[in-house]
Amino acid sequence: MSAGLPAQAAETHREASALSDVASASAPSVVASNEAQVSFERPVVESVAAPVVEQPAQQAAPTARTAASTVQAASAPAAVAPVAAPTAAGSSLAGIAYTGIGHPYVWGGTTPAGWDCSGFTQWVYAQAGISIPRVQAWSIMKPTSTPMPGDLVVQNGGAHVGIYVGNGMMISALNPSQGTLLHAVAATGTSAYYTLTH
């Protein structure tokens, strides 16, 4: 005895069988060499053109006009924090730091031919006639919560150091791929500031 399937049921059976064959086919596998390496690039910190470092002007005796502007400033809202005038030494240190931009990073180096972060800061201070230790220079300085241009920025518990140049910016010998550049203090870690002048 034989039974016939309706034509539509036979077609459905063939389609189900074809789908089953496709589903059971193994997907191609990807195999990597045992020597393959995966690496991630560090974020690029962009530098901006160096601002002109101005020397502080000599203070003249107060005049009636200066006194009037002082009264106006005193009545201004307290939302804007006053910015202290940079010292002549600090301004010259910041100016010297700008001349280091573009020089290469070399671990243990101490000259413009190649320096690491502490070698760079030592070199900047030396150009201004100030001798500081190559490593942990901040140990002979005083901590400050109001950094001025020329002060040291010590980051990540002493793992990195640079020269503060004002407006939340610093110059440092960052790494071998980026060299010495101007960058935001906030871009490279937690910071503490040290000064020779306070």
Side-chain angles (χ1 to χ4, degrees):
M1 190 173 187
S2 67
L5 291 174
Q8 193 174 18
E11 188 64 34
T12 303
H13 179 68
R14 271 195 301 270
E15 286 175 5
S17 175
L19 287 174
S20 171
D21 291 342
V22 170
S24 65
S26 62
S29 62
V30 177
V31 178
S33 164
N34 290 340
E35 297 175 13
Q37 295 182 356
V38 177
S39 63
F40 300 94
E41 291 186 25
R42 298 180 88 163
V44 175
V45 178
E46 295 182 19
S47 67
V48 295
V52 176
V53 178
E54 296 180 16
Q55 296 296 328
Q58 295 283 357
Q59 284 190 329
T63 62
R65 184 175 182 179
T66 307
S69 64
T70 303
V71 170
Q72 285 178 341
S75 62
V80 178
V83 176
T87 63
S91 291
S92 80
L93 287 167
I96 294 165
Y98 276 107
T99 68
I101 292 175
H103 289 275
Y105 178 101
V106 174
W107 176 259
T110 58
T111 70
W115 46 41
D116 58 14
C117 62
S118 57
F120 168 68
T121 57
Q122 183 187 43
W123 179 86
V124 168
Y125 274 73
Q127 302 317 296
I130 302 167
S131 177
I132 62 172
R134 184 182 172 289
V135 294
Q136 296 186 348
W138 55 92
S139 65
I140 65 163
M141 299 181 176
K142 298 176 186 173
T144 181
S145 58
T146 54
M148 301 299 294
D151 288 345
L152 287 186
V153 183
V154 178
Q155 297 189 307
N156 302 321
H160 186 65
V161 64
I163 305 289
Y164 185 71
V165 295
N167 298 321
M169 302 296 285
M170 67 185 282
I171 298 172
S172 71
L174 203 54
N175 57 50
S177 64
Q178 293 174 294
T180 309
L181 58 124
L182 174 70
H183 59 89
V185 171
T188 47
T190 57
S191 303
Y193 301 94
Y194 291 84
T195 185
L196 285 173
T197 58
H198 294 193

